[in-house]
Amino acid sequence: MTTRIAVSGAAGRMGQAIIRLIAEDDALELAAALEHGQSPVLSRDAGTVAGIAQLGVPVAPAAEGGFDVMVEFTTPDATTEHLAFCREHGHAIMIGTTGLDDRQRGEVRDAGRDIPVVFAANTSVGINLCVALLETAGRVLGDHMDVEVVEAHHRQKVDAPSGTALLLGETVAGALGRDLETDGVFAREGHTGPRPAGSIGFSIIRGGDIAGEHTVMFIGESERIEITHRATDRRIFARGALRAARWLAGRPAGFYDMRDVLELR
């Protein structure tokens, strides 16, 4: 059975990668391609925008019916608008947008009462396996070692720390009964004094075309354990997003994440 996909942010890096993969998969159909109202690619064929053959789907400024799942990688404000549309019309939605505030994240979770929603800070299969490993590592090591999260992304990324870095930090914090709101350290400068016990530190790198690198360090006396994931091609995120979209089609209403998709719970 073919899954009809609406791609929001069709002209973005992720949107283009997703469209190219849809075109290669007989089980998927590009049903809609969306961009903001001032986009220079409006009305152009989505395939041409993605650098492949024409697909017969023009880029449009607003969603309409005729799709099973929307795949959303845009901005927080656009995401909440598309979420409201999907909720009103009964469409499933896979959200990979990062940088949502607490209110917006609450809206995403609340939408799961009416429609199936996958919300993922990172759609890579490898990252989500790292999350499962960190749940164990956090319980075993976290109370006895210092925890640091290091992340690196391309120069165009606008939010910091990345949603994935926060996910990794939250995973360790949850395993230890801690809270990033109080225990996260996101900046160090000047005379900081000794490292606070129980804190979870973050370091951020931005430059070049780094697709995404994340390392969680458990640092103790005479030893250090690191769990690292390096992405070398954005297609891994696109593949994961489409895997989630296929899984989501036909599911009952609910709030899901990639661990549900990958049966890692």
Side-chain angles (χ1 to χ4, degrees):
M1 185 176 183
T2 302
T3 303
R4 299 170 300 168
I5 306 292
V7 177
S8 180
R13 294 177 179 178
M14 274 297 296
Q16 292 182 46
I18 289 167
I19 289 169
R20 289 192 290 268
L21 288 178
I22 291 173
E24 297 172 4
D25 194 329
D26 292 339
L28 299 174
E29 175 190 341
L30 181 66
L34 308 177
E35 266 297 339
H36 62 85
Q38 288 72 49
S39 173
V41 305
L42 289 179
S43 299
R44 288 180 56 190
D45 187 272
T48 302
V49 171
I52 58 176
Q54 291 191 8
L55 298 174
V57 178
V59 178
E64 297 179 357
F67 63 89
D68 301 310
V69 184
M70 180 178 289
V71 177
E72 174 74 29
F73 285 86
T74 56
T75 64
D77 288 343
T79 295
T80 54
E81 290 180 12
H82 293 143
L83 177 69
F85 176 88
C86 288
R87 191 173 186 179
E88 179 181 355
H89 294 88
H91 297 299
I93 184 168
M94 187 276 129
I95 297 174
T97 303
T98 59
L100 276 67
D101 61 27
D102 289 342
R103 177 188 60 79
Q104 291 164 331
R105 290 165 70 96
E107 290 178 11
V108 173
R109 183 176 292 276
D110 187 62
R113 297 188 303 171
D114 300 321
I115 58 172
V117 178
V118 166
F119 183 45
N122 190 303
T123 54
S124 158
V125 173
I127 276 288
N128 286 280
L129 178 58
C130 288
V131 168
L133 295 173
L134 283 171
E135 290 175 340
T136 299
R139 289 193 301 270
V140 174
L141 303 171
D143 279 331
H144 308 286
M145 294 185 168
D146 298 324
V147 182
E148 293 285 321
V149 181
V150 181
E151 61 106 331
H153 281 88
H154 53 88
R155 64 166 66 95
Q156 301 298 333
K157 188 165 180 61
V158 298
D159 57 313
S162 69
T164 300
L166 291 172
L167 170 64
L168 300 179
E170 288 167 353
T171 299
V172 177
L176 294 169
R178 299 179 192 167
D179 185 348
L180 282 190
E181 290 289 329
T182 55
D183 296 320
V185 176
F186 299 98
R188 295 185 177 106
E189 184 179 7
H191 184 72
T192 62
R195 187 183 195 281
S199 61
I200 298 174
F202 288 78
S203 299
I204 295 111
I205 298 166
R206 293 288 179 267
D209 62 351
I210 301 171
E213 298 184 4
H214 297 85
T215 296
V216 179
M217 300 180 181
F218 296 88
I219 309 168
E221 300 295 331
S222 305
E223 65 178 341
R224 181 171 77 241
I225 297 168
E226 299 181 1
I227 296 177
T228 297
H229 179 270
R230 293 187 178 93
T232 58
D233 192 313
R234 193 166 279 100
R235 283 180 296 181
I236 66 169
F237 308 118
R239 289 193 194 100
L242 290 174
R243 181 169 175 174
R246 282 192 295 265
W247 181 89
L248 199 56
R251 293 274 167 181
F255 179 80
Y256 306 102
D257 61 25
M258 285 300 291
R259 285 173 288 180
D260 296 307
V261 175
L262 302 173
E263 298 182 353
L264 289 173
R265 293 192 183 281

